[in-house]
């Protein structure tokens, strides 16, 4: 079965400051339990803010380093998951269910891409 990488994209500059509440944590925990029991979830995590990151660029045979935050970026990767699904449709369905748990006033985007295997 193919593996899929789901990238969670957020706008760090306009991220919600309100905590989503205990019901959010309960719903997310239930989804993670379900997806894990189904044997789909291989790994998932949130990422530290871009202020703690560094970009390395290779151009013209030289490296350049840029420390975060990356203010020129509207959206950044805030988290990821790696899943094993029967097809892209199943991967998209899990991603949709993940998004539905978030409060309606939050703006969250996910990008689902199949991992190229040999």
């Amino acid at each position: 079965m193919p593996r899929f990488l789901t990238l969670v994209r957020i706008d760090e500059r306009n991220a919600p400051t309100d905590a989503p509440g205990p019901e959010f944590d309960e719903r997310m925990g239930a989804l993670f339990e379900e997806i894990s029991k189904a044997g789909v979830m291989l790994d998932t995590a949130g990422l530290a803010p871009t202020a703690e990151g560094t970009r390395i660029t290779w151009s013209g045979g030289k490296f350049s380093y840029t420390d975060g935050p990356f203010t020129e970026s509207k959206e950044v990767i805030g988290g990821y998951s790696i899943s094993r699904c029967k097809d892209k449709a199943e991967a998209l369905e899990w991603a949709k269910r993940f998004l539905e748990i978030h409060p309606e006033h939050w703006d969250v985007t996910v990008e689902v891409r199949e991992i190229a295997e040999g």
Side-chain angles (χ1 to χ4, degrees):
M1 280 200 305
R3 294 183 307 152
F4 293 87
L5 173 66
T6 300
L7 301 169
V8 181
R9 297 183 176 274
I10 59 169
D11 180 350
E12 279 187 323
R13 293 173 295 179
N14 295 312
T17 56
D18 58 325
E23 66 281 346
F24 172 83
D25 292 336
E26 291 170 14
R27 290 192 315 266
M28 192 63 73
L31 177 64
F32 282 178
E33 184 176 335
E34 180 183 354
I35 196 170
S36 295
K37 283 183 179 178
V40 172
M41 181 68 68
L42 301 177
D43 190 27
T44 187
L47 301 176
T50 62
E52 299 174 26
T54 301
R55 288 183 178 163
I56 305 173
T57 301
W58 174 255
S59 179
K62 297 182 181 181
F63 291 107
S64 64
Y65 297 83
T66 306
D67 289 329
F70 310 120
T71 56
E72 72 280 0
S73 299
K74 179 172 174 23
E75 289 185 333
V76 297
I77 305 301
Y80 73 93
S81 71
I82 298 175
S83 58
R84 186 178 308 278
C85 300
K86 64 183 176 192
D87 55 26
K88 186 176 181 180
E90 181 184 11
L92 291 172
E93 181 60 29
W94 285 113
K96 180 183 145 215
R97 291 183 59 196
F98 168 79
L99 287 173
E100 287 175 328
I101 290 172
H102 292 78
E104 290 182 8
H105 66 280
W106 285 22
D107 292 323
V108 183
T109 301
V110 296
E111 178 180 337
V112 178
R113 296 175 62 183
E114 185 171 349
I115 296 172
E117 311 266 9

